[in-house]
């Protein structure tokens, strides 16, 4: 493995792609007319996912050049280095082994002389045992009552994965157990989520990889005070032990906080926060959906890991999708990427992907410290269809920016409603099929005229088409399929990061704001000297706060 990243712009493939891009004029109507097998040629299977890339900018030429780019930038070597536990997170000097979190029992990945898969299964077994106890009512609060509500306290990777998956897997939840998620340091979040809860039947799970995150520790303290203030008689000595568990890599800090290490689940520095939902970070999810469904969730991730590790390059879906994103970003001028699930259950999926993709690849230097040589990190965003259709799709169809989009849908509904002989899921899927078709094939001026449209408004009603979309379908949104989708995007992100030469596993860019927030605390609290030392804009904003905050 090369120590230095390979500059993608120095490769032969980059030159080819640049040449292709100069005269690239996508024309889906012609492409499909001239090649009746196009849909077939560019549709792939990965686990349970059917992935149709025929309405993307893949052509024989772009695909060959992109695969060559992957070879020249040694994507597969770096993938293998990651999977075998090499320290590819260079700036933090860490292995990157979220894939070990779902490796089968009995397999072996050695880091620093230890088989990490054994450790993973040891924690999983403890987590499953704990989840089963909470679900069955065997785990009781300090007053002897079974748990009815779990409050997950965490932020970023210690929140987004569990909450997204909890929302996505609603049909798999145990009826008498609710999970709430507190993440924001805005006191509103804890205030709203604690409202109406019975402290006797509430369990808090404090999730923080570092156990130093201000938001999480502050909310955990608020929760502890709320518990002790509201339990009958203050709950006594055992209150925290019975109502608080923790998930962290820093078990010493968990103990300092007052949580019994017996009630803590560990994970490891080689699990990045945004890649951690398969670890004990998913404890609230494991309680909510149960150990068997959580095991299926992990198995889904594993199926995609195996596909990424073993499928030939020309059929390797994460590889192809990652390379396409590079082409869109670096050769076609795209700066954002929409993810549009046709599933209301996936309403937090885009938010989850925002951390995964943007915290991973929003970088300006490469893993050897040199500046990047290309654009990196698109803005990922999205909302479930059909809601998005009535909001921002206008810009996708007729705006001036190129915005590649991934459409995701499932063949089977959870609620098979039928009204007046009309299957509602078919109406829904009709929109899914229609949107990618409209974006690809558009509507010409002649077609608009043929509908009898007044000539003056013909231009406004033309759809140029040739907007690239990927369509991802699966039979059901099951725990396994959700796992496959998550792992798919993890690997897409990885591929892009390797081509760009960035360390997709550090996140130094979040540090400065955190540091400054701490430094500003005295000025905000009224220290005049500290206030005077601020820049004029910050000083004026804090002064506004002081004038308007009620005493
Ligand atoms: O601020 C960014 C970040 O470090 C994320 O990468 C991480 O997921 C989140 O904060 C929470 O960190 P922790 O789990 O250590 O509390």
């Amino acid at each position: 493995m090369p120590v230095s990243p390979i500059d993608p712009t120095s490769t032969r493939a980059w030159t080819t792609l640049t040449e292709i891009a100069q005269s690239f004029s996508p024309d889906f109507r012609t492409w499909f007319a001239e090649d009746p097998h196009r849909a077939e040629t560019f549709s792939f299977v990965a686990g349970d996912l059917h992935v149709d890339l025929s309405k993307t900018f893949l052509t024989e030429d772009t695909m060959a050049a992109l695969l060559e780019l992957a070879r020249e930038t040694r994507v597969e070597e770096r993938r293998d280095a990651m999977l075998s536990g090499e320290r590819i997170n260079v700036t933090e000097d860490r292995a990157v082994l979220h894939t070990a979190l779902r490796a089968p029992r009995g397999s072996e990945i050695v880091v620093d002389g230890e088989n990490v898969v054994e450790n993973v299964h040891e924690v999983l077994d403890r987590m499953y045992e704990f989840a089963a106890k909470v679900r069955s009512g065997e785990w009781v609060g300090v007053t002897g009552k079974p748990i009815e509500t779990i409050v997950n306290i965490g932020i970023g990777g210690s929140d987004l994965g569990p909450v997204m998956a909890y929302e996505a897997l609603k049909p798999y939840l145990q009826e008498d157990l609710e999970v709430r998620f507190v993440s924001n340091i805005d006191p509103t979040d804890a205030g709203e989520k604690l409202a109406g809860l019975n402290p006797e039947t509430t369990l808090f799970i404090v999730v923080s990889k570092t156990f130093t995150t201000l938001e999480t520790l502050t909310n955990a303290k608020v929760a502890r005070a709320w518990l002790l203030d509201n339990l009958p008689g203050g709950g006594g000595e055992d209150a925290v032990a019975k109502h608080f568990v923790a998930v962290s890599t820093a078990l010493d800090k968990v103990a300092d906080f007052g949580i019994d290490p017996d009630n803590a689940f560990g994970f490891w520095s080689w699990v990045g926060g945004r890649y951690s939902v398969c670890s004990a970070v998913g404890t609230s999810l494991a309680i909510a959906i149960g150990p068997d469904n959580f095991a299926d969730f992990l198995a889904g991730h594993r199926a995609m890991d195996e596909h990424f590790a073993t499928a030939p390059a020309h059929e390797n879906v994460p590889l192809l999708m990652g390379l396409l994103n590079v082409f869109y970003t670096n050769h076609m001028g795209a700066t954002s990427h929409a993810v549009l699930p046709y599933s209301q259950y996936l309403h937090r999926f885009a938010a989850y992907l925002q951390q995964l993709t943007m915290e991973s690849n929003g970088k300006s230097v490469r893993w050897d410290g040199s500046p990047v040589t290309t654009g990196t990190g698109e803005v990922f965003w999205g909302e479930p269809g059909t809601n998005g259709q009535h909001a921002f799709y206008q810009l996708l169809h007729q705006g001036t920016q190129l915005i590649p989009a991934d459409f995701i849908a499932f063949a089977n509904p959870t609620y098979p409603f039928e009204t007046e002989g009309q299957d509602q899921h078919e109406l829904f899927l009709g929109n899914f099929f229609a949107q990618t078709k409209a974006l690809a094939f558009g509507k010409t001026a002649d077609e608009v005229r043929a509908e009898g449209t007044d000539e003056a408004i013909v231009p406004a009603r033309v759809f140029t088409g040739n907007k690239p979309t990927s369509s991802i379908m699966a039979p059901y949104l099951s725990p396994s399929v959700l796992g496959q989708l998550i792992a798919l995007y993890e690997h897409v992100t990885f591929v892009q990061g390797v081509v760009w030469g960035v360390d997709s596993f550090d996140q130094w860019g979040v540090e400065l704001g955190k540091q400054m927030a701490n430094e500003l605390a005295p000025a905000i609290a009224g220290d005049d000297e500290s206030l005077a030392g601020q820049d004029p804009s910050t000083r004026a904003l804090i002064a506004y706060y002081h004038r308007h905050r009620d005493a």
Side-chain angles (χ1 to χ4, degrees), residues 154-159 207-213 216 267 272-274 276 355 359 507 510-511 514:
I155 195 164
S158 298
D159 166 72
V207 186
S208 176
K209 179 176 171 180
T210 54
F211 230 74
T212 58
T213 304
T216 301
F267 63 113
R274 54 196 175 275
S276 67
Q355 188 197 13
E359 203 171 72
Q507 56 285 316
V510 299
E511 294 302 323
K514 286 189 200 173

Side-chain angles (χ1 to χ4, degrees), residues 166-292:
Y166 177 77
E167 292 294 319
L169 298 176
K170 283 246 156 99
Y172 296 85
L173 305 183
Q174 179 166 308
E175 259 179 26
D176 53 0
L177 276 177
E178 184 196 0
V179 184
R180 298 185 182 185
F181 295 84
V182 175
S183 53
N184 204 327
I185 199 165
D186 178 348
T188 315
D189 203 12
E192 291 287 335
K193 303 291 171 44
L194 293 175
L197 289 186
N198 177 357
E200 292 177 86
T201 58
T202 299
L203 174 74
F204 293 96
I205 306 183
V206 184
V207 186
S208 176
K209 179 176 171 180
T210 54
F211 230 74
T212 58
T213 304
L214 181 70
E215 290 88 338
T216 301
L217 294 190
T218 306
N219 280 322
K221 285 177 198 158
V222 167
R224 187 172 53 190
W226 174 88
L227 181 83
L228 300 178
D229 285 352
N230 290 286
L231 274 173
E237 274 184 11
D238 275 353
V240 173
K242 289 289 178 192
H243 293 266
F244 269 81
V245 301
V247 177
S248 185
T249 59
L251 297 178
D252 50 333
K253 295 199 175 77
V254 169
D256 292 346
F257 183 84
I259 296 177
D260 186 345
D262 284 348
N263 293 345
F265 300 96
F267 63 113
W268 307 272
S269 64
W270 42 260
V271 183
R274 54 196 175 275
Y275 298 87
S276 67
V277 66
C278 293
S279 71
V281 167
T283 299
S284 57
L285 180 66
I287 297 172
I289 64 174
D292 290 349

